[in-house]
Amino acid sequence: MSQSNQRPLKVACPQCKTKVEWSEQNPYRPFCSERCKMLDLGAWADESHRIAGEPAMDEHNIEEWLARAERGDDR
Ligand SMILES: [Zn+2]
C-alpha cells in the first residue's frame, strides 16, 4: 500500500479550480494560494456584510422579481 501513500491527493481549488496537492506544505489548502483563499473569504464576508448592511429582502424587489420570473423574460 506504499504506492497510494506516495501519490499526493489532488483537489481543485474552490476559487480558480486549479488542481493543487493536498499536503502539509500547502497551508492554504484546499485553495491553491493565499490569494485564492482571501478571495473566497472576501466574497463570503462581502455577501454576509451586504445582507446585514442593507435590506436585501425588499418586498417590492421580490414581487418584481417574481412577476418577471413568471413572465419568463428576464432580459
Ligand atoms: Zn486558486
Side-chain angles (χ1 to χ4, degrees):
M1 282 299 188
S2 61
Q3 261 188 337
S4 60
N5 282 344
Q6 284 170 357
R7 193 191 294 173
L9 176 65
K10 291 213 171 179
V11 293
C13 169
Q15 188 62 33
C16 69
K17 310 300 182 203
T18 298
K19 296 274 184 182
V20 288
E21 283 183 19
W22 183 287
S23 71
E24 298 280 318
Q25 288 163 356
N26 177 11
Y28 311 115
R29 63 189 184 275
F31 300 94
C32 68
S33 64
E34 182 178 17
R35 186 172 160 272
C36 279
K37 187 179 183 178
M38 287 311 184
L39 276 174
D40 193 74
L41 288 176
W44 187 87
D46 190 47
E47 208 159 296
S48 60
H49 187 78
R50 209 186 308 143
I51 288 165
E54 58 187 71
M57 289 289 145
D58 189 331
E59 265 182 48
H60 294 290
N61 281 351
I62 289 171
E63 273 172 29
E64 198 187 329
W65 185 85
L66 281 175
R68 241 188 266 171
E70 269 172 32
R71 269 185 276 136
D73 55 35
D74 199 14
R75 266 151 259 182

